[in-house]
């Protein structure tokens, strides 16, 4: 059965479950409508004596259980589990509200028999049998009772722990002994005399189901942002946003939309308070991009004290002559030119005429005060810096790139409807020396200027290096034609790296503009120059205390360089084409700190990787970028932004400096309390981004978001977003590996997760047997997702994962948004042949586990970076024929990366699906066709994240058990 | 026998040698009493159209410390086929090729008229001539245009196989690769950073990273490897285009600043480039600059216009911040270039100083040219530059490269040193004196660039002791051996062997006196003076000179720009001294005492005294100071001309009178290198100062009225006149009882 799915035996939603009459959790089902006052939880404030003792004396707040979870489950003795979907309904909504639930807070309890004692009762174990009907509770097998439907579980006495033989040693991956893990995930019916019981995978929370439900429930209506503290639909759901005063979730997502009033509460819950901000996020065409407000010379109106920008939450008083800052409560005068009368509700009459008074997101035109050196910026520049060493030439990269650039230069980002892009371009090639090109329009042929003084880089020319594409087209074309020829016979294998960036940065400095460097680089920079690197890859360091050094840059030179780049507004995008170790960890430092992107094409060959590279390149060149940006997050008094994750540089503790920021880059911000928050006024966030547009206009983009504040932990747990939480935790962990051993980082993650869940269990869930695992509804996917993070390549590398790959992924994740982390950690697995061929929608995904694959089917798997087409061994011949144009399974080329273009519905559909998947992601995913039982399948299986991984990562089921144990330990 | 004057002239014609004394005092004591040292002016490559080179190699004395070359002074035993070295008296066998030798069948080098002979060496690789242009781009537009045209023109004058290279500089230094199709390629260097030769070669990719096995053997021309120096025939078009496309330095120069000019680094790279690719091959680095170096090593002045370039005043006050460092930089470069046999020319054209003071050693030590002008867009520069590529009667360039001059002497003589465009090779030997005059301590010098007029002063010391008299009729001998690369790329050796009689000063003083060559002596002494002036403080040198010898010439020498820095910028002083130290005797004399001709209706043109009394109203004066040709119209003449008499047919004679000095001046201009500044002025003209500053101020504002007014023009100066000078001198001569 599927968790959360209403099963026939379940009584109508909202009806108090007779078994648990004491709970009146019905109202927790959600906040139906947008007006539900938070206070309506007050009814449940009766103290529950049983939990009293857990409270810290003297803390004047309701006992945690008071905000009792909407869904609870009681421990049925002897493994009888009950799964109540209490959380799904809302009593107040009445029985009719069957499926109108939002993704409500709630909890999902899992019952479990005590672990240890059962070991002595092996004889009564019930072997794993055929699955009960989906409506039945099926999770009994491993003794881990997952409460499902209301139906009583089959009588299974002495359930499930028999397989946890006493002889089993602790699993190395976990901090504490974790019995029985190795056998989990094995196929049903192991040949042991005492077949291990296992938890039914279907009975544990399924990401697929959660995503499906959210899509069905919330995908249809637009998400209106007018109400404070609303939890937006999941990132996997397609929905429209209507800005009515709060920033769209496309710009900001929070781990929780209801945050504790006090730091004590926050500490107790251990739920990180973080916002994932994507200031320049692209919007679907149906949604309008932020309005640009021009306040003329006076510039945007700001609070005198905290410098927050005018926003819908500012309170106008004294008939509109003054306003009170919503962040710091300072009272400011309204300048005469901004004065407007208030209506009877105290609102300005012109509130709806002014974006900054009615919308969550808008832009201000900045005045000269907001510009560097008090000078309006010049239009930015793009500099293409191409490695022309032997490897780059031989792989065909240089020729391909030069050819592509000729047309790509017409697609530089332009502002609005501008006829031509204001961006100027420049070209540099390099191996162990740098070649600059003068492509001034007046020249008959380009001029090449070689700078070999790499130790002390400088720009040899001023005029003619950065040019307008249209004016210099002939010279540029001639140059791009000649570059591959000029270096065709090169024997130079050594390259430099830091001087290249230095040169680009100096060039921008000389031209007094911001800009972006596009670096195309192939090899470890071993030539004698600053930033020279040596091959220090050492797999022996894995799982030692020194493992962190693999993620740290080899030299501090790149940090210094990055700092200079940021000061100049020089963003670096790096395209890597390594054939072997290139020390991504070090090479990425500058792109990372300057807000750039890194692309890596291992063993690049034109035939195989051309499409992927060109597609990425096109996208990267065309995407809209804000240059020389500074981002600051202001908050209501009481909380404060304390920590930032992403691709940027910070020279102080508050300003996020981004040499460049594009629509894919995300900054995750963590908040901490420094005072009490007020339940009534809630907590406000204002993210202000000052940047230079691609036409050289200086602007401020403001995003505002209001959150609720709670004094009840349950409110917190009810308004969490697991996807965002995972985004934060992954970034936190991925940064942690720089300083701590990977194992420490993993343990810390597990501990934090356990603490979060234990706190819930202790304070919010209904009292139940300790053996029962109870998860908050909003966080029921936390374990599975966390497990995916834990077994990701960075935190638990397999044998085939290179150091560079790990550093690369680590770097990528750092600036991923919630949708990207979601699919990256839990890949989508789409069966292609299950749904009718004529259906146009995406087929429903299945869980990422080998068990879900049937050998008669074909599946697509994607995680935002990789795309696999898995072909089962006994797929119908017709299917094979119509997809691959070969007659049998055995004739399919393994590792194929392009599907033949065939004129039949299936082929069209699959190719269409592949295209649409690619279109959804910010990077082109290269398709790999994997045949069942083929060598490549290993690679594919790596992404079946619910299974136990070869590198020792636990299966979902095992991990859940482990998590349960951790929680129990914390509770006891 | 003919007079000494004829003898001296003859010797000069044949051997290019002029001695201060043509009969030598036979002991050290006597020689020192003579005050003027025994010395000679040697013009090693004096043009000898009548002297065809012989196509074989010289025969050397077999004594390893001697290795003198067989010459007419050697005693030959024709029967035994032996010859005795006249320097070390070693008896040597003739080589097998000389078996046919006899009294009637003598090889050329034994014939007395071949005291100077030239051998052509056939062995060894012939390397082409190399011309490396180093071009300043911080010029005014028309200056740069003129320079570009001059350079393009010069390409047509080069032999087709000559290698050329181009370095341009401004704020950056660009080394241009010349053989590129479709795209012009250059290596760029920061103008502020001093690089070692190794770094430069690495950065230019000249050090091939030892490619094992690959082409270890094939001895293609070793010089094909350089991309920066290519045969002119191959890249003529390319280079012409490249020069045509040269732009002014694009870096902005803000108000009140000088352009940033990296002359020091550019030269350093030029030297490094040649050093790495063509060591010991004849090469010219030709630096064209239009202003002072303003950044990097070798900077002479900062880029702030408000701080003027150093003057003599600053130098005296020790206020020239950059001078020492810059001088050191250029000296280092000059020495490196000299070591590798490359010469450096400096063509500096600007109204202000360009730092010749600091850079002078580049030309001085390597035998390069130094040309100073106001603009590249003047005929002075254009014609001077063309004249560099003038050809001799055989159609070869009048230039030679990488020469070494070796001097051998009889044992009574030792070599004290040389003054001229040379560097010491530090070859010690028995004939090297411990007392140094000029560049001493060696018997060999390197002269990287030579032309037919290059003249060195070579100083000797008589070491024969007084108590060991030389027998009557004894002769001392000196051999000059100049090995050089001829402009036809042949290696040649020119050998000059001269001998003079010894005479006992006590008994034969008259002989010695009669054989004194006062012109040579004056120039030689002046050279010493200039050499000392370069290295010592000005007044001290004057005092030294006064003490040494005072004659008429010396009056003018004292006033000349070679010793006086007053009224000259440091650059000008360096420039004048440079030329003084290398021109031959005649030219040197002109430099010391300018020539003044007078044209009038009274008779044919006549030389007149360089005196203010010669400036008369009805005369036209033509003065040649070597550096300037001044035509000066007297007051009346000027008025006549103004009135236009020359255009009236009845006054045609006046027209001719006006024309005569012009024609004469043209003649001088045609022949001289560097081209002199040509000044045509008249009485009262501002340019007349050139004349007035040179003449002897016999009439000044101080004595004007005592002398009467009828003749001459008064000079407003406080300098003493020759009359006063002589009066003092006489007094001194009488009173000093030496």
């Amino acid at each position: 059965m599927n968790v959360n799915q209403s099963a026939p035996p379940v009584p109508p939603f909202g009806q108090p479950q007779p078994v648990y009459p004491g709970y009146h959790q019905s109202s927790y089902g959600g906040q139906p409508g947008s007006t539900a006052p938070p206070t309506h939880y007050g009814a449940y404030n009766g103290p529950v004596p049983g939990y009293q003792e857990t409270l810290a004396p003297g803390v004047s707040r309701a006992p945690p259980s008071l905000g009792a979870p909407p869904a609870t489950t009681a421990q049925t003795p002897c493994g009888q589990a009950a799964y109540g979907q209490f959380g799904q309904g809302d009593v107040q909504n009445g029985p009719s509200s069957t499926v109108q639930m939002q993704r409500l807070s709630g909890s999902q309890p899992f019952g479990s028999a005590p672990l240890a004692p059962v070991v002595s009762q092996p004889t009564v174990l019930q072997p794993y049998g055929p699955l009960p009907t989906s409506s039945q509770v099926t999770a009994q097998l491993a003794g881990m009772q997952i409460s499902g439907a209301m139906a009583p579980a089959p009588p299974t006495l002495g359930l499930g722990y028999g397989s946890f033989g006493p002889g089993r040693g602790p699993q190395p991956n976990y901090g504490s002994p974790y019995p029985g893990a190795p056998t989990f995930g094995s196929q049903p019916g192991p040949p042991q005399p005492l077949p291990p019981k296992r938890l039914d995978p279907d009975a544990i929370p399924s990401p697929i189901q959660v995503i499906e439900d959210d899509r069905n429930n919330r995908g249809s209506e637009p998400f209106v942002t007018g109400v404070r503290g609303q939890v937006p639909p999941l990132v996997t759901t397609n929905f429209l946003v209507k800005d009515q005063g709060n920033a769209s979730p496309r710009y900001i997502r929070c781990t929780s939309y209801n945050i504790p009033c006090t730091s004590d509460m926050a500490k107790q819950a251990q739920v990180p308070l973080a916002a994932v901000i994507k200031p320049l996020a692209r919007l679907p065409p149906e949604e309008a991009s932020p309005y640009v407000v021009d306040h003329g010379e006076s510039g945007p109106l700001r609070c005198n004290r905290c410098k927050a920008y005018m926003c819908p939450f500012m309170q106008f008083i004294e008939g509109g002559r003054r306003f009170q800052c919503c962040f710091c409560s300072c009272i400011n005068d309204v300048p005469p030119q901004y004065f407007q009368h208030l209506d009877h509700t105290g609102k300005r009459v012109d509130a709806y005429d002014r974006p900054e008074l009615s919308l969550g997101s808008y832009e201000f035109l900045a005045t000269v005060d907001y510009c560097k050196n008090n000078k309006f910026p010049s239009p930015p520049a793009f500099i293409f810096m191409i490695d022309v060493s032997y490897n780059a030439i031989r792989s065909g990269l240089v020729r391909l790139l030069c050819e592509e650039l000729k047309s790509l230069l017409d697609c530089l980002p332009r502002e609005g409807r501008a006829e031509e892009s204001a961006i100027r371009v420049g070209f540099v090639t390099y191996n162990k020396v740098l070649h600059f090109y003068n492509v001034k329009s007046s020249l008959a042929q380009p001029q090449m200027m070689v700078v070999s003084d790499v130790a002390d880089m400088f720009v040899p020319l001023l005029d003619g290096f950065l040019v307008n594409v249209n004016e210099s087209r002939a010279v540029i074309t001639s140059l791009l034609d000649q570059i591959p020829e000029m270096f065709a016979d090169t024997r130079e294998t050594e390259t430099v790296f830091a001087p290249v960036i230095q040169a680009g940065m100096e060039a921008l400095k000389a031209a007094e503009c911001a800009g972006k460097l596009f670096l195309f680089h192939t090899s470890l920079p071993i030539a004698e120059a600053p930033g020279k690197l040596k091959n220090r890859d050492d797999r022996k360091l894995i799982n030692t205390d020194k493992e962190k050094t693999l993620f740290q840059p080899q030299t501090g030179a790149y940090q210094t360089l990055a700092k200079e780049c940021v000061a100049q507004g020089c963003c670096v995008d790096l395209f890597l084409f390594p054939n072997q170790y290139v020390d991504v960890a070090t090479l990425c430092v500058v792109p990372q700190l300057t807000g750039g992107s890194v692309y890596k094409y291992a063993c690049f060959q034109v035939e195989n990787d051309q499409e992927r590279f060109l597609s990425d390149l096109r996208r990267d060149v065309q995407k809209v970028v804000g240059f020389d940006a500074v981002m600051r997050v202001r908050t209501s008094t009481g909380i404060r932004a304390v920590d930032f994750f992403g691709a940027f540089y910070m020279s102080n503790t508050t300003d996020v400096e981004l040499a460049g920021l594009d629509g894919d880059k995300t900054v995750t911000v963590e908040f901490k309390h420094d005072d009490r928050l007020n339940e009534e006024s809630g907590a406000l966030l204002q993210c202000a981004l000052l940047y230079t547009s691609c036409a050289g206009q200086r602007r401020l983009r403001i995003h505002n978001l209001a959150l609720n504040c709670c004094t009840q932990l349950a409110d917190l747990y009810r308004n969490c977003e697991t996807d965002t939480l995972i985004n934060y935790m992954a970034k936190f962990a991925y940064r942690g590996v720089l300083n701590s051993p990977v194992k420490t980082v993993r343990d810390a993650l597990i501990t934090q997760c356990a603490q979060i869940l234990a706190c819930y269990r202790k304070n919010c869930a209904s009292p139940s047997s300790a053996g029962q695992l109870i998860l908050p509804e909003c966080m029921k996917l936390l374990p599975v997702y966390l497990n995916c993070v834990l077994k990701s390549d960075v935190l638990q590398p397999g044998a085939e994962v290179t150091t560079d790959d790990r550093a690369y992924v680590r770097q990528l994740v750092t600036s991923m948004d919630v949708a990207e982390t979601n699919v990256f950690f839990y890949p989508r697995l789409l069966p292609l042949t299950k749904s009718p061929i004529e259906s146009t929608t995406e087929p429903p995904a299945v869980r990422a586990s080998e068990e879900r694959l049937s050998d008669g089917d074909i599946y697509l798997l994607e995680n935002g970076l990789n795309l696999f087409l898995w072909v089962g061994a006994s797929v119908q011949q017709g299917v094979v024929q119509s997809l691959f144009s070969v007659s049998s399974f055995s004739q399919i080329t393994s590792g194929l990366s392009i599907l033949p273009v065939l004129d039949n519905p299936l082929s069209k559909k699959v190719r269409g699906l592949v295209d649409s998947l690619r279109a959804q992601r910010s990077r082109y995913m290269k398709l790999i066709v994997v045949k069942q039982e083929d060598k490549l399948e290993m690679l594919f299986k790596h992404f079946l994240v619910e299974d136990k991984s070869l590198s020792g990562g636990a299966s979902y089921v095992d991990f859940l058990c482990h998590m349960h144990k951790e929680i129990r330990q914390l509770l006891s | 026998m003919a007079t000494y004057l004829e003898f001296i002239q003859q010797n000069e014609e044949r051997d290019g040698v002029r001695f201060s004394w043509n009969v030598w005092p036979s002991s050290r004591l006597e020689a020192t009493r003579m005050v003027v040292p025994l010395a000679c002016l040697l013009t090693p490559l004096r043009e000898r159209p009548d002297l065809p080179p012989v196509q074989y190699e010289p025969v050397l004395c077999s004594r390893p410390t001697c290795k003198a070359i067989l010459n007419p002074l050697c005693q030959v035993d024709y029967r035994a086929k032996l010859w005795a070295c006249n320097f070390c008296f070693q008896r040597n066998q003739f080589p097998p090729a000389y078996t046919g030798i006899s009294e009637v069948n003598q090889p050329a080098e034994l014939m007395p008229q071949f005291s100077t002979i030239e051998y052509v060496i056939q062995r060894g690789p012939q390397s082409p001539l190399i011309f490396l242009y180093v071009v300043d781009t911080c010029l005014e537009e028309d200056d740069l245009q003129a320079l570009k045209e001059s350079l393009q023109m010069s390409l047509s004058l080069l032999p087709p196989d000559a290698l050329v290279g181009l370095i341009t500089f401004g704020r950056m230094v660009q080394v241009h690769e010349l053989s590129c199709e479709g795209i012009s390629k250059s290596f760029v260097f920061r103008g502020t950073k001093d690089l070692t030769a190794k770094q430069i070669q690495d950065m230019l990719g000249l050090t091939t990273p030892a490619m094992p096995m690959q082409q270890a053997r094939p001895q293609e021309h070793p010089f094909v490897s350089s991309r920066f120096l290519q045969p002119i025939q191959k890249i003529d078009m390319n280079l012409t285009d490249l020069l045509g496309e040269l732009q002014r330095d694009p870096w902005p120069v803000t108000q009140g600043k000088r352009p940033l000019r990296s002359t020091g680094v550019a030269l350093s790279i030029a030297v490094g480039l040649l050093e790495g690719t063509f060591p010991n091959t004849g090469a010219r680095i030709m630096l064209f600059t239009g202003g002072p170096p303003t950044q990097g090593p070798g900077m002479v002045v900062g880029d702030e216009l408000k701080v003027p370039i150093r003057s003599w005043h600053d130098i005296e006050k020790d206020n020239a911040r950059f001078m020492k460092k810059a001088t050191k930089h250029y000296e280092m470069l000059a020495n490196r270039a000299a070591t590798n046999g490359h010469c450096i020319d400096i063509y500096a054209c600007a109204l202000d100083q360009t730092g010749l003071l600091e850079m002078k050693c580049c030309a001085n030590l390597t035998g390069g040219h130094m040309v100073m002008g106001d603009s590249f867009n003047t005929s002075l520069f254009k014609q001077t530059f063309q004249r560099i590529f003038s050809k001799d009667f055989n159609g070869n360039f009048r230039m030679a490269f990488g020469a070494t001059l070796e001097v051998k002497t009889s044992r009574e003589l030792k070599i004290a040193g040389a003054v001229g465009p040379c560097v010491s090779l530090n070859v010690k030997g028995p004939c090297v004196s411990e007392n140094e005059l000029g560049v001493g301590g060696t018997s060999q010098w390197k002269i990287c660039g030579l032309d037919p007029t290059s003249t060195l002063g070579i100083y000797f010391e008589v070491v024969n002791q007084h108590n060991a008299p030389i027998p009557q009729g004894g002769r001392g001998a000196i051999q000059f051996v100049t090995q050089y690369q001829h402009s036809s790329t042949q290696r040649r050796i020119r050998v000059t062997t001269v001998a003079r009689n010894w005479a006992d000063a006590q008994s034969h003083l008259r002989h010695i006196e009669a054989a004194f060559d006062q012109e040579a002596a004056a120039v030689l002494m002046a050279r010493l003076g200039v050499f000392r002036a370069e290295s010592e403080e000005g007044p001290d040198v004057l005092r030294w000179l006064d003490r040494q010898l005072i004659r008429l010439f010396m009056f003018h020498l004292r006033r000349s720009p070679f010793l006086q820095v007053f009224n000259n910028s440091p650059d000008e002083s360096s420039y004048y001294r440079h030329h003084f130290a290398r021109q031959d005797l005649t030219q040197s004399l002109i430099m010391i005492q300018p020539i003044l001709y007078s044209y009038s209706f009274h008779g044919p043109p006549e030389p007149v005294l360089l005196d203010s009394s010669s400036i008369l109203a009805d005369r036209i004066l033509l003065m040649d100071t070597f550096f300037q040709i001044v035509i000066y119209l007297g007051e009346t003449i000027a008025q006549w001309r103004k009135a236009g008499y020359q255009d009236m047919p009845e006054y045609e004679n006046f027209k001719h009178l006006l024309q005569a000095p012009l024609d004469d001046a043209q003649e001088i201009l045609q022949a001289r290198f560097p081209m002199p500044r040509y000044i045509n002025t008249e009485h009262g003209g501002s340019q007349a100062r050139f004349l007035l500053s040179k003449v002897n101020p016999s009439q000044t504002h101080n004595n004007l009225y005592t002398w009467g007014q009828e003749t001459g023009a008064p000079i407003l100066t406080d300098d003493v006149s020759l009359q006063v000078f002589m009066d003092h001198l006489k007094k001194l001569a009488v009173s000093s009882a030496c």
Side-chain angles (χ1 to χ4, degrees), chain A residues 432-433 435 437 440 443-463 478-479 482 486-487 491 506 510, chain B residues 172-174 177 180-193 195 199-200 202-205 209 211 214 242 245 247 250-252:
Chain A
K432 70 179 187 185
V433 299
H435 320 110
Y437 296 92
K440 203 157 113 177
L443 290 176
Q445 58 183 35
Q447 289 176 351
M448 175 192 203
M449 305 176 109
V450 185
V451 173
S452 1
D453 188 1
V454 285
D456 193 5
M457 191 37 72
F458 63 97
V459 184
L461 76 171
L462 188 62
D463 196 21
S478 154
L479 171 68
Q482 286 186 58
M486 265 191 295
F487 298 98
R491 296 255 178 96
E506 298 282 352
Chain B
M172 313 274 171
V173 180
Q174 275 177 271
E177 202 169 301
C180 306
E181 297 293 325
I183 191 165
S184 63
K185 194 171 167 188
S186 59
F187 281 64
V188 188
F189 294 81
R190 204 191 264 275
T192 51
K193 194 173 168 190
L195 298 163
Q199 283 173 311
I200 290 169
D202 281 349
M203 289 179 183
L204 290 175
M211 281 208 178
Q214 198 222 349
L242 193 60
E245 276 201 357
Q247 296 294 314
W251 298 86

Side-chain angles (χ1 to χ4, degrees), chain A residues 809-822:
Chain A
V809 167
R810 198 191 77 77
Q811 190 276 142
L812 278 183
V813 167
T814 311
S815 45
M816 277 185 179
D817 68 6
V818 180
E820 284 171 320
T821 45
N822 174 272

Side-chain angles (χ1 to χ4, degrees), chain B residues 37 419 437-438 459 521-546 548 554 557-558 560-564 577 580-581 592:
Chain B
V419 175
L437 286 173
Y459 300 82
V523 173
L524 283 161
M525 288 310 288
R527 279 211 181 194
L528 270 186
V530 169
F531 182 82
R532 295 185 71 142
E534 287 284 81
S535 42
E536 293 169 32
E537 294 287 316
D540 293 348
V541 179
L542 281 185
R543 242 170 274 138
W544 168 81
L545 202 68
D546 288 351
Q548 290 294 312
M554 293 304 144
L557 181 63
R558 283 184 94 256
S560 75
F562 311 110
L563 298 178
Q564 286 290 0
R577 288 170 180 171
F580 186 69
I592 297 174

Side-chain angles (χ1 to χ4, degrees), chain B residues 359-408:
Chain B
M359 293 192 279
K360 65 186 176 202
C361 45
C362 290
N364 286 346
L365 299 186
T366 64
H369 299 302
M370 193 191 276
V371 174
M372 192 169 81
D374 289 345
S375 157
F376 288 107
N377 202 7
T378 55
S379 59
L380 187 148
F381 167 72
K382 289 180 186 170
Q383 299 198 13
T384 304
F385 184 55
Q386 266 188 29
R387 216 157 285 170
I388 289 175
F389 301 102
S390 64
K391 307 243 168 85
D392 65 9
F393 51 92
N394 283 329
N396 291 317
F397 281 144
R398 288 193 166 95
M399 54 174 93
F401 296 97
T404 52
L405 169 67
E406 187 177 5
V407 181
K408 299 179 193 303

Side-chain angles (χ1 to χ4, degrees), chain A residues 180-361:
Chain A
T183 57
F184 277 76
S186 57
Q187 291 301 314
Q192 287 176 4
L194 296 173
K197 294 293 166 87
R198 50 166 282 182
L199 198 55
D200 175 12
D202 279 337
I204 54 182
S206 153
I208 304 303
Q209 193 58 48
V210 172
I211 290 170
E212 275 304 305
D213 290 346
D214 195 73
R215 263 188 200 159
N216 296 335
N217 296 332
R218 304 195 63 180
S220 49
E221 287 175 36
F223 177 70
V224 182
T225 68
V227 179
R228 189 171 89 183
Q230 261 188 122
V231 183
L234 290 183
V235 282
T236 42
T237 303
N238 270 329
F239 60 100
L240 277 187
V241 182
K242 282 203 174 139
D243 186 346
Q244 291 197 354
N246 280 304
S248 154
R250 301 190 205 285
Y251 295 123
I252 309 183
R253 275 183 180 268
C254 292
T255 50
S256 171
Y257 289 81
N258 199 333
I259 59 181
C261 278
T262 65
S263 64
D264 287 344
M265 254 173 94
K267 270 182 205 145
Q268 196 182 3
Q270 284 289 325
V271 177
L273 303 176
V276 179
I277 307 176
K278 198 176 185 184
L280 296 182
R282 261 185 297 266
L283 302 178
E286 302 85 5
E287 293 177 20
S289 45
Y291 288 98
V292 181
V293 181
D294 186 358
H295 279 179
E297 284 189 11
S298 58
L301 190 54
R302 307 174 68 171
C303 166
N304 286 332
R305 185 159 70 196
C306 68
K307 302 291 176 197
Y309 294 86
M310 178 52 64
C311 71
F313 310 116
M314 294 287 186
Q315 196 68 48
F316 285 86
I317 53 174
E318 297 182 26
R321 285 194 303 275
R322 295 182 165 190
F323 71 92
Q324 183 170 27
C325 174
C326 50
F327 294 94
C328 70
S329 307
C330 174
I331 294 184
N332 300 277
D333 288 336
V334 174
Q337 72 272 16
Y338 199 76
F339 175 79
Q340 186 57 264
H341 293 288
L342 308 185
D343 66 9
H344 62 283
T345 60
K347 238 180 173 177
R348 274 173 66 118
V349 177
D350 63 350
Y352 290 102
D353 301 334
R354 290 186 177 271
E356 76 272 22
L357 296 180
S358 54
L359 296 179
S361 303

Side-chain angles (χ1 to χ4, degrees), chain B residues 607-623:
Chain B
V608 293
L609 272 182
L610 186 64
D611 193 290
S612 57
S613 61
S614 305
I615 305 175
L616 296 171
D618 57 348
R619 305 285 165 94
I620 302 175
L621 295 178
L622 170 68
M623 182 178 75

Side-chain angles (χ1 to χ4, degrees), chain A residues 435-513:
Chain A
H435 320 110
F436 293 77
Y437 296 92
N438 186 344
V439 283
K440 203 157 113 177
S441 55
S442 59
L443 290 176
Q445 58 183 35
Q447 289 176 351
M448 175 192 203
M449 305 176 109
V450 185
V451 173
S452 1
D453 188 1
V454 285
D456 193 5
M457 191 37 72
F458 63 97
V459 184
L461 76 171
L462 188 62
D463 196 21
F465 180 62
L466 295 176
V467 295
N468 176 295
V469 176
N470 285 336
E471 284 169 14
S472 293
R473 179 170 310 275
V475 192
I476 292 177
T477 310
S478 154
L479 171 68
L480 292 172
D481 279 336
Q482 286 186 58
I483 287 176
E485 307 303 330
M486 265 191 295
F487 298 98
D489 303 321
T490 189
R491 296 255 178 96
E492 188 57 69
T493 52
E494 292 187 2
T495 55
V496 294
F497 190 71
V500 184
I501 298 175
Q502 174 97 29
M505 191 262 294
E506 298 282 352
L508 295 178
K509 198 186 267 175
E512 292 179 334
C513 66

